[in-house]
C-alpha cells in the first residue's frame, strides 16, 4: 500500500501523525481532529480503518495518538486497544443477557 492509494482524508491523517512519532510526542485526538477540520468521531473511525490496513497508529488515554517508535510503544497501544475490547465485550454480554423487563423489575414498575 502506498500513501496515494488511500483516501485524501486518510492521507492527511497520516501526514499529520508523521510529526507525532513516539509516545512522548502524542497528540490529543481533539487537537488532531481540529487541525484536520473533522469531528473526533470521524477521526477515531478513520484511524480504526487505517489500523485495519496495517498502519501502526497507537493511542493512549490521556496522551493521544502517536506513531510507535519501538516495540514497547507498540505494545502500549495494543494493550489499550485490548482493554477497550474487553470493556465492549462485557457491555455486549450484559446487554444480551438482560431480560427485556429488567427496568420494571429493577424499579418495581
Amino acid at each position: 500500500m502506498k500513501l496515494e492509494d488511500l483516501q485524501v482524508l486518510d492521507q492527511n491523517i497520516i501526514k499529520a501523525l508523521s510529526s507525532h512519532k513516539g509516545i512522548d510526542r502524542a497528540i490529543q485526538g481533539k487537537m488532531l481532529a481540529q487541525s484536520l477540520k473533522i469531528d473526533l468521531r470521524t477521526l477515531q473511525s478513520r484511524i480504526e480503518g487505517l489500523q485495519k490496513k496495517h498502519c501502526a497508529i497507537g493511542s493512549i488515554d490521556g496522551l493521544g495518538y502517536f506513531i510507535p517508535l519501538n516495540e514497547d510503544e507498540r505494545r502500549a497501544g495494543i494493550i489499550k486497544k485490548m482493554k477497550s475490547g474487553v470493556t465492549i465485550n462485557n457491555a455486549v454480554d450484559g446487554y444480551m443477557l438482560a431480560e427485556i423487563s429488567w427496568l420494571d423489575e429493577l424499579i418495581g414498575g
Side-chain angles (χ1 to χ4, degrees), residues 35-92:
S35 73
L36 294 164
K37 296 179 176 52
I38 59 175
D39 62 73
L40 183 58
R41 292 260 186 200
T42 299
L43 176 67
Q44 292 167 334
S45 174
R46 300 311 294 218
I47 286 178
E48 242 178 64
L50 287 167
Q51 289 167 330
K52 287 178 187 174
K53 293 178 180 176
H54 302 190
C55 296
I57 300 170
S59 68
I60 300 291
D61 290 338
L63 294 178
Y65 292 102
F66 64 95
I67 304 297
L69 292 175
N70 55 50
E71 284 304 315
D72 287 340
E73 290 185 357
R74 181 200 304 256
R75 197 171 306 111
I78 290 169
I79 289 169
K80 189 261 185 184
K81 277 286 191 193
M82 290 173 69
K83 287 180 181 178
S84 295
V86 168
T87 300
I88 290 168
N89 283 336
N90 289 341
V92 169

